[in-house]
Each structure stands twice: as C-alpha cells, then as structure tokens.
Amino acid sequence: MEIEIVTTTDKNIGKIKVTDASQISDIKKSISKLKSALYPDRQSIRLEARGKTLKDTDKVKDLGLKNGSKLYVKDLGPQIGWSTVFMAEYAGPIFVYLIFYARPSLFYGATADKKMSQVAVVAACCWSFHYIKRVLETLFVHRFSHNTMPIMNLFKNCSYYWGFTAFVSYFVNHPLYTPPCTVQFYIGLGTFIFCELGNLSIHIALRNLRPPGTKVRRIPVPTVNPFTLLFNFVSCPNYTYEVGSWIGFTIMTSSFSAGLFTIAGFYQMAIWALGKHRNYKNEFSDYPKSRKSIIPFLL
C-alpha cells in the first residue's frame, strides 16, 4: 500500500510504500530517502498535524492506516547525540571550577597569594568528583531511550552548567572566603558523599532495567542495594539524591552561590521528575500509587 507523507504545515513530501508489518522506524527511513535533510532522528511522525508523536515500534496495521492514508512529519531541526551533549556539559564544569582553584591570580589579583582554606580544597575535590562521576556514567552506565536531542540544547545546557560552575567556584575559592565551623563542614561532607553513592546506585539500577540495545521500560523497584530503597517512596530517586548532594555541598561550603545553584537544580529536576512520574502512571496501570515524584510523601 502507499501512504502520503506531508509536513505538519500540510506541504506534500511524497508517497512511500509500506506493508501492514512496517514500523514507524521503517517509515522514517523511507522519508529520509525522499528528503535527505530529514534523517530519521530529525523526524516526529504523527497521525494528525498536532497529534502525539508515534513510537518507532508502532506498526502500520495497529495504527489503522490504509492505502492512501496520510502521515504527518514534523522537522525537529538539527540533532546531536545525547552522549555528546552530556560529555560537554559535564566535562566543562571540571575544567571551569579548577581554573579558579588552580590559578586564582587570574581572577583575584594581589589577594590571590592568601592560603586557600581546607574547605575550599575539599570543595574542589567534591565538585570534580561529582562531574567525573557523571562523565563516567555517560560512558559506561547510562542507556539512552533517545539517540539525539535538538542541537540548541548543547548551548543551553553548557551555558547553565558552565556558568553556574564559574559563579560557585569564584566565591568558594575567593581569598576572602570564610569557611564554616568544623561540625557544619563534616555534616555537609557526609551528606554529599552519602547522596553521591545513592545517586550512582540508582543510575546502575535504572541501567539494569533496560536490556542493551532496547527501549524497554519497566517499573523501577528496589534491588539488594539499600540505597535503592528510595524507589519505595519516589519515582526519581536519582534526582532526590542529586539534590541531596548539592544541599550537602552548600552546607559544607556555607556558600550563597552554591545555595542558588542547588535551588535552580531542584526546580529543574522537580519538573523532570513530575513529568516522568506522570508518564509512569500513564504507562503502567499497576504503578505504585503511594509513590511521589522526587520528595517522599510531599512532591
């Protein structure tokens, strides 16, 4: 059978041949042959111009398509790989933070000769550890459900992470920086380390939910790792632990700039968590009703 392909603005692209067994992924490949600029990752296929994006695994037969039916394609714009974006946004903060730490004379002038506090030294280690962990997770742990994202996300994400890194690092490494008391420092450091281990544990648990090379989605549940018990209370414990890490970092450094970074991060992660929580509930009829999205019992 033949299906007509049009844009969401109703411009005709052409016709392609399909069978009842053809999947949306096959249709995307055929469209890219009609218009090379529309490579598969750049396409959003829909039954209606303003309808929902169809899954790559959806089949022609299940969608009720017949000879002469229309499918709409939306151009998502230039794309870039998720792993490429993650590597750039996570590797950058390591170098940006350490520039202020290792070369204070570039930013603080004559006062740069003052000895750096022990808290500032540990803070640099913690910041670097967090982002080195994120880089390694991108390389060896994460399994992405999508191959690409819009290329503009690279500039947006890097601006956020690199900009906030400079903001935090400037004040924590400043010669006039006043560290908190020893008790507050150790409470913050302990919180940071605990939550970093929790965050890593959740990422590994999520990785093991999805077999390699698939887009299978399952309900995440606790494993033998005690850090994963947080799955009993929230849908996105990785975000819960991430926020906890930055709360610990803020307590440890007693830094206003770190506090702002934590608040901004929590706001964004709460939005992501609410969206994922909603998707879980829509996708799985037996999804635990007692779970919240990011904060146990509250949000």
Side-chain angles (χ1 to χ4, degrees):
M1 71 177 80
E2 283 190 336
I3 290 179
E4 187 178 358
I5 304 298
V6 297
T7 68
T8 51
T9 56
D10 217 29
K11 292 181 180 179
N12 185 275
I13 292 179
K15 294 181 179 181
I16 61 172
K17 291 184 178 181
V18 298
T19 66
D20 285 341
S22 297
Q23 296 183 329
I24 292 298
S25 58
D26 301 318
I27 292 174
K28 286 183 175 180
K29 293 175 184 177
S30 297
I31 293 173
S32 67
K33 292 179 181 178
L34 293 176
K35 192 173 181 179
S36 59
L38 284 176
Y39 47 87
D41 287 327
R42 189 167 173 162
Q43 302 172 32
S44 169
I45 308 297
R46 308 168 181 188
L47 291 173
E48 299 176 358
R50 296 189 178 182
K52 292 183 178 179
T53 298
L54 299 175
K55 297 178 181 178
D56 282 353
T57 53
D58 287 339
K59 294 184 178 181
V60 167
K61 183 179 180 181
D62 298 332
L63 295 172
L65 297 174
K66 300 177 181 179
N67 188 49
S69 293
K70 276 186 180 182
L71 275 180
Y72 294 85
V73 58
K74 179 179 174 62
D75 183 359
L76 299 176
Q79 301 287 298
I80 189 171
W82 273 79
S83 58
T84 302
V85 175
F86 275 25
M87 288 295 290
E89 67 185 46
Y90 295 149
I94 301 171
F95 298 106
V96 172
Y97 196 100
L98 293 180
I99 288 173
F100 288 88
Y101 173 77
R103 292 289 183 268
S105 59
L106 296 175
F107 308 98
Y108 309 120
T111 60
D113 293 335
K114 185 178 178 181
K115 184 179 179 181
M116 193 169 290
S117 71
Q118 190 64 32
V119 172
V121 174
V122 175
C125 293
C126 288
W127 190 279
S128 300
F129 171 81
H130 174 82
Y131 284 103
I132 289 172
K133 178 179 79 71
R134 297 301 291 269
V135 168
L136 293 176
E137 286 173 341
T138 299
L139 291 173
F140 303 112
V141 177
H142 292 317
R143 287 176 179 158
F144 301 104
S145 56
H146 300 286
N147 294 327
T148 63
M149 65 171 74
I151 196 169
M152 287 306 298
N153 284 11
L154 173 67
F155 304 103
K156 181 177 67 177
N157 292 9
C158 287
S159 296
Y160 171 81
Y161 282 104
W162 297 18
F164 254 122
T165 296
F167 181 48
V168 173
S169 186
Y170 176 84
F171 288 104
V172 175
N173 293 305
H174 200 286
L176 301 180
Y177 166 70
T178 302
C181 67
T182 302
V183 173
Q184 180 178 332
F185 166 72
Y186 280 112
I187 290 173
L189 178 60
T191 301
F192 179 86
I193 294 173
F194 177 85
C195 290
E196 286 291 292
L197 292 173
N199 181 260
L200 174 61
S201 299
I202 297 300
H203 285 158
I204 292 174
L206 291 173
R207 176 186 188 275
N208 293 335
L209 276 177
R210 177 174 292 154
T214 72
K215 296 184 179 180
V216 172
R217 284 171 58 82
R218 299 171 182 162
I219 298 176
V221 293
T223 67
V224 294
N225 186 331
F227 282 107
T228 64
L229 289 173
L230 201 51
F231 273 125
N232 288 325
F233 305 100
V234 295
S235 295
C236 302
N238 51 321
Y239 295 150
T240 308
Y241 281 123
E242 174 103 6
V243 173
S245 290
W246 294 121
I247 289 174
F249 187 89
T250 301
I251 294 171
M252 178 181 70
T253 59
S254 194
S255 167
F256 177 73
S257 56
L260 288 180
F261 176 60
T262 301
I263 292 170
F266 170 71
Y267 175 77
Q268 181 60 71
M269 283 184 273
I271 292 174
W272 290 336
L274 287 167
K276 291 185 178 183
H277 182 65
R278 183 167 55 251
N279 290 339
Y280 277 136
K281 291 196 296 183
N282 291 337
E283 186 171 356
F284 302 106
S285 58
D286 57 341
Y287 194 73
K289 291 181 170 56
S290 60
R291 286 188 191 179
K292 295 297 184 179
S293 58
I294 186 171
I295 302 178
F297 312 114
L298 294 176
L299 180 66

